[in-house]
Amino acid sequence: MSDDLDEALEAQQWLLETSLPLVFEAFDDALQRDVEVPVVVLLDCEDAIGGEIARSWLGDETVEDAILHQSDDLDEESEATTVFAVAFSLEECRTEVPAVFPYLEPALEAAPEVGFYAISVTSGGASILIVPPDARP
């Protein structure tokens, strides 16, 4: 693998690991809405692709306000970013996700046996990661 791809994969994993409370909140919300086989989509709103998706779902003003609010809360050394998470059914992800990230299609063929999927969008791409139940903060 190239260094760029390795860095992107590490960034996608880091985004998920540092956003676990938000990920579980979206997952729990999906369960309350009776979503079958929830998949959490985690967007880095300050990433080109993640930001574009967030803006299409939430609107430009909402995303810009969130980014502005996030930057007010950080010191200059922080690596945090503005994150949005929402859960969809695995079936809906099978239909929608490959249009934007065709390389994720094979991973969506089956649900994980333990835990749930999270799609982490940052660094110009996306990864599907499995969130184990014991990762709940």
Side-chain angles (χ1 to χ4, degrees):
M1 272 194 237
S2 73
D3 287 344
D4 288 346
L5 184 56
D6 286 343
E7 287 178 20
L9 293 173
E10 284 181 27
Q12 291 153 3
Q13 185 169 344
W14 176 85
L15 181 67
L16 176 65
E17 290 172 355
T18 58
S19 302
L20 285 172
L22 188 60
V23 168
F24 276 97
E25 184 180 311
F27 179 76
D28 293 344
D29 176 66
L31 293 178
Q32 288 182 334
R33 293 183 288 121
D34 295 323
V35 172
E36 289 190 40
V37 191
V39 176
V40 175
V41 178
L42 187 64
L43 302 172
D44 175 350
C45 295
E46 296 176 42
D47 174 68
I49 294 173
E52 184 178 330
I53 294 168
R55 284 173 175 78
S56 73
W57 292 350
L58 303 169
D60 290 339
E61 189 173 322
T62 301
V63 173
E64 292 307 319
D65 286 349
I67 291 170
L68 187 61
H69 180 71
Q70 175 76 10
S71 65
D72 288 346
D73 293 341
L74 299 176
D75 59 45
E76 290 184 22
E77 313 242 332
S78 177
E79 293 183 28
T81 187
T82 308
V83 181
F84 174 70
V86 66
F88 298 97
S89 70
L90 178 59
E91 191 59 42
E92 192 172 357
C93 288
R94 285 179 182 146
T95 304
E96 301 294 327
V97 170
V100 181
F101 305 109
Y103 51 89
L104 296 182
E105 186 171 18
L108 293 167
E109 290 176 8
E113 292 189 24
V114 177
F116 61 92
Y117 283 138
I119 300 175
S120 182
V121 181
T122 190
S123 296
S127 291
I128 293 182
L129 302 159
I130 296 174
V131 180
D134 63 357
R136 185 180 290 272

